């Protein structure tokens, strides 16, 4: 990126100095911008503002007044009310960049503020944040789902690159599906692995993480390199009897997990069949094993 393409050094405010806001604020500070104000309600948000940004928290209106770029890093369900509040309480938004980090929302949620003169950007970091000290290091090399008006695309791109990320352009209308894909992969993986760990502990495996780690690492590497062609296991082999044993065991041990297993096994069989990895007659036997009578 040429020096002329870099945004001018900006004063930055963070509305919601939680796990994401404090990490991105620190990343912008490392890039040479100046974080001047932050708001946060919870004890953790106030602590992260102090530890990561070197700031005591302020009122939201003070954050807006002090900054040229304002990060809106609040939970998704709080974002519309926050934007509407900024637009209707008389805050001077003219010429200020309002940057939200929600994956599911695009630019439309910022429309009330844009009508008041704000410059809207959606920059969603594709990473999990836990509040641990390594959150800032996780930002290096990650993708950001970026949605911006045409005139602001160079600015959005520059901000992402300055934070060590890679901008990936997402159409406004595609933001919900984009975010659903990410949540399906990352959030549901955590649930599945936690469930598997509990099942293994329940039969006496003392350290399920040690057992699952190499297997999951190999499976993740396979799918990222090969796609569905990296699939292994009883479904792609057409082992309907084994799949049925799995379902029966789950009904007894963890009935709340059985529905998820059946749904994912059906989806796996559908994808394997479409990819030519599974013969139609094998798929039919699998679907019979996963059929509507499994609860009787």
């Amino acid at each position: 990126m040429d020096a002329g393409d870099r945004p001018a050094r900006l004063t930055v405010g963070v509305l919601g100095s939680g796990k994401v806001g404090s990490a991105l604020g620190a990343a912008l500070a490392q890039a040479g911008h100046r974080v001047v104000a932050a708001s946060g309600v919870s004890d953790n948000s106030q602590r992260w503002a102090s530890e990561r940004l070197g700031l005591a928290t302020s009122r939201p209106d003070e954050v807006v007044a002090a900054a040229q770029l304002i990060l809106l890093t609040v939970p998704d369900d709080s974002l519309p009310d926050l934007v509407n509040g900024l637009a209707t309480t008389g805050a001077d938004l003219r010429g200020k960049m309002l940057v939200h980090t929600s994956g599911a929302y695009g630019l439309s949620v910022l429309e009330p503020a844009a009508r008041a003169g704000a410059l809207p950007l959606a920059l969603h970091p594709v990473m999990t944040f836990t509040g641990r000290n390594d959150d800032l290091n996780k930002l290096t090399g990650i993708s950001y789902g970026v949605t911006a008006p045409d005139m602001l695309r160079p600015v959005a791109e520059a901000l992402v690159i300055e934070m060590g990320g890679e901008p990936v352009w997402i159409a406004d209308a595609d933001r919900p599906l984009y975010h659903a894909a990410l949540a399906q992969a990352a959030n549901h993986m955590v649930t599945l692995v936690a469930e598997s760990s509990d099942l293994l502990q329940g039969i006496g495996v003392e350290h399920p993480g040690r057992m699952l780690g190499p297997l999951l690492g190999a499976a993740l590497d396979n799918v990222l390199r090969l796609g569905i062609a990296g699939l292994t296991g009883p479904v792609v082999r057409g082992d309907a009897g084994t799949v049925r044993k799995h379902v029966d065991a789950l009904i007894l041990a963890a009935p709340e997990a059985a529905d998820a297993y059946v749904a994912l096994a059906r989806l796996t069989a559908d994808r394997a069949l479409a990819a030519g990895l599974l013969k139609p007659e094998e798929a039919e036997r699998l679907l019979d094993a996963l059929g509507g009578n499994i609860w009787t």
Side-chain angles (χ1 to χ4, degrees), residues 97-142:
M97 281 186 271
L98 250 57
V99 182
H100 80 67
T101 58
S102 167
Y105 281 110
L107 298 180
S108 58
V109 72
L110 298 174
E111 181 59 29
R115 289 196 299 267
L119 306 174
L121 295 170
L123 307 180
H124 174 247
V126 185
M127 179 47 62
T128 61
F129 297 88
T130 62
R132 296 166 60 90
N133 291 333
D134 62 349
D135 277 351
L136 182 57
N137 297 330
K138 290 178 181 178
L139 294 174
T140 302
I142 70 169

Side-chain angles (χ1 to χ4, degrees), residues 42-200:
S42 70
D43 290 342
N44 280 333
S45 293
Q46 294 176 31
R47 175 171 59 86
W48 287 320
S50 175
E51 293 177 355
R52 295 179 173 183
L53 306 177
L55 297 169
T57 53
S58 305
R59 298 196 313 268
D61 61 312
E62 294 173 330
V63 175
V64 173
Q68 297 164 308
L69 184 155
I70 302 152
L71 289 175
L72 308 181
T73 45
V74 297
D76 285 3
D77 286 352
S78 300
L79 185 58
D81 286 343
L82 174 61
V83 175
N84 284 325
L86 292 176
T88 58
T89 55
D92 187 1
L93 301 175
R94 291 171 297 176
K96 298 192 181 228
M97 281 186 271
L98 250 57
V99 182
H100 80 67
T101 58
S102 167
Y105 281 110
L107 298 180
S108 58
V109 72
L110 298 174
E111 181 59 29
R115 289 196 299 267
L119 306 174
L121 295 170
L123 307 180
H124 174 247
V126 185
M127 179 47 62
T128 61
F129 297 88
T130 62
R132 296 166 60 90
N133 291 333
D134 62 349
D135 277 351
L136 182 57
N137 297 330
K138 290 178 181 178
L139 294 174
T140 302
I142 70 169
S143 297
Y144 284 71
V146 180
T147 305
D150 288 344
M151 65 176 290
L152 293 177
R153 282 172 68 106
V155 175
E157 181 177 35
L159 288 170
V160 168
I161 292 173
E162 285 186 334
M163 289 188 288
E166 177 184 355
V168 178
W169 303 103
I170 307 295
D172 196 87
D174 292 334
R175 297 285 293 200
L177 186 58
Y178 151 80
H179 196 239
L182 299 179
Q184 178 89 321
N187 305 154
H188 295 171
M189 179 185 70
V190 171
T191 302
L192 289 171
V193 175
E195 183 70 26
S196 295
S197 296
D198 289 348
L199 291 170
L200 290 170

Side-chain angles (χ1 to χ4, degrees), residues 252-279:
L252 292 175
E256 70 282 356
D259 281 339
Y261 180 96
V262 168
L264 288 171
R266 284 174 173 159
L267 181 59
T268 302
D270 287 343
R271 292 187 67 93
L273 179 63
L277 303 174
L278 193 63
K279 295 177 181 178

